[in-house]
Amino acid sequence: MTVVVPNFHGKQALDAWLAGHDAGLLLQGPDPDSPHPLMNGVVVAQQPAAGTRAERWDVVTVWVEGGGDGSGVREPRRPLPERREVTKYYDGCG
């Protein structure tokens, strides 16, 4: 069974991966052995091109930019959070 390769250019990487899966294709980055999953950034190129016919579950290679390393937010935050003093809690007993 063949499927038509969608245009992934300009999509968020995770959205492109999900759309590819829905179309019956597997998306991967140019280095399939990379430790970074294909989830961050925007797709800037793809191979094969959009509109090409491919076998179901064939691999489409996508190049992504602007994703950083995907490891999340790092501390310390700027500006630093407001510092609060600890106060004793009185529960009304004793």
Side-chain angles (χ1 to χ4, degrees), residues 1-8 20 23-27 46-61:
M1 177 177 182
T2 62
V3 296
V4 176
V5 176
N7 183 5
F8 299 113
L25 297 164
L26 299 173
L27 268 66
Q46 71 183 67
Q47 182 64 36
T52 304
R53 289 208 163 270
E55 290 297 317
R56 187 168 176 83
W57 301 120
D58 270 357
V59 172
V60 175
T61 302

Side-chain angles (χ1 to χ4, degrees), residues 1 12 20 24 28-29 36 47-48 51 69 79:
M1 177 177 182
Q12 291 292 324
Q28 71 178 22
H36 302 292
Q47 182 64 36
D69 66 3

Side-chain angles (χ1 to χ4, degrees), residues 6-22:
N7 183 5
F8 299 113
H9 191 271
K11 290 185 180 254
Q12 291 292 324
L14 181 57
D15 293 337
W17 189 90
L18 292 169
H21 189 270
D22 289 347

Side-chain angles (χ1 to χ4, degrees), residues 8-14 39-45 63-67:
F8 299 113
H9 191 271
K11 290 185 180 254
Q12 291 292 324
L14 181 57
M39 294 190 166
N40 300 306
V42 176
V43 176
V44 295
W63 285 262
V64 176
E65 287 185 358

